[in-house]
Each structure stands twice: as structure tokens, then as C-alpha cells.
Amino acid sequence: MEKIIVSKRSETNYLVRVESSSTTEHAVTLSSGYYQKLTGGEITPEALIRASFEFLLRREPNTSILRSFELPVISHYFPDFENRIRDYF
């Protein structure tokens, strides 16, 4: 099982470390507008990012996840992301 560690670097930038057989790090940008759209402020940004990585890791290995991206990019690869992520809350 992967361990997901989310660290806030600035107001909109986060570092995500995924520890598994191969450890990876990912720079993730999350705008306040997109955060509000997905969560309505009901969970922390870190919890949203963690849930997003859980979503991704169910579909691909951590070594396939982009090393740097804005959170909305996930829906370009997985169109059901925005609908599915709400199930995590």
C-alpha cells in the first residue's frame, strides 16, 4: 500500500510524496477557485490532494503520475475525476 504525504509549500503549491516500492515526488498546484468548486471548503486542500492521489493510484502506478501539474489536469486524463472525487468526502 502506498503512503501519501502532502506538504504545503505556499498558498497554492503542494509537494506530494508517494512512498511505495518506488518513491516519487510531485509538485501540485491547486487554485482556490478549483478547491472551492470541488469541495465547497468542506475539507482541507491537503485532504483534497490526498484523495486525488488515491484516485490516481487506483488507476495507475505512482511512477506514471506527472511530476508537476495543476490539479484540474487530472480530468483531462480521467474525465470522471471531478464527479468521482466528491465520493471521497
Side-chain angles (χ1 to χ4, degrees):
M1 183 94 179
E2 297 90 0
K3 181 177 180 181
I4 303 166
I5 303 164
V6 180
S7 305
K8 187 173 186 174
R9 300 181 95 184
S10 72
E11 194 60 34
T12 59
N13 295 306
Y14 298 82
L15 178 66
V16 180
R17 182 177 172 92
V18 180
E19 296 177 354
S20 68
S21 58
S22 294
T23 298
T24 56
E25 290 188 344
H26 311 268
V28 179
T29 302
L30 174 61
S31 71
S32 60
Y34 195 65
Y35 163 72
Q36 287 295 326
K37 174 183 175 182
L38 292 184
T39 70
E42 293 183 19
I43 63 169
T44 66
E46 291 87 350
L48 171 59
I49 292 170
R50 179 182 310 282
S52 299
F53 270 77
E54 289 171 1
F55 172 90
L56 288 170
L57 290 167
R58 287 192 169 114
R59 289 154 179 81
E60 62 186 353
N62 62 318
T63 54
S64 295
I65 299 172
L66 296 171
R67 300 291 187 214
S68 180
F69 62 97
E70 293 183 10
L71 206 65
V73 166
I74 296 172
S75 61
H76 293 282
Y77 296 95
F78 302 100
D80 63 335
F81 169 69
E82 291 184 5
N83 290 327
R84 294 282 188 158
I85 199 65
R86 291 181 183 101
D87 295 340
Y88 283 83
F89 314 136

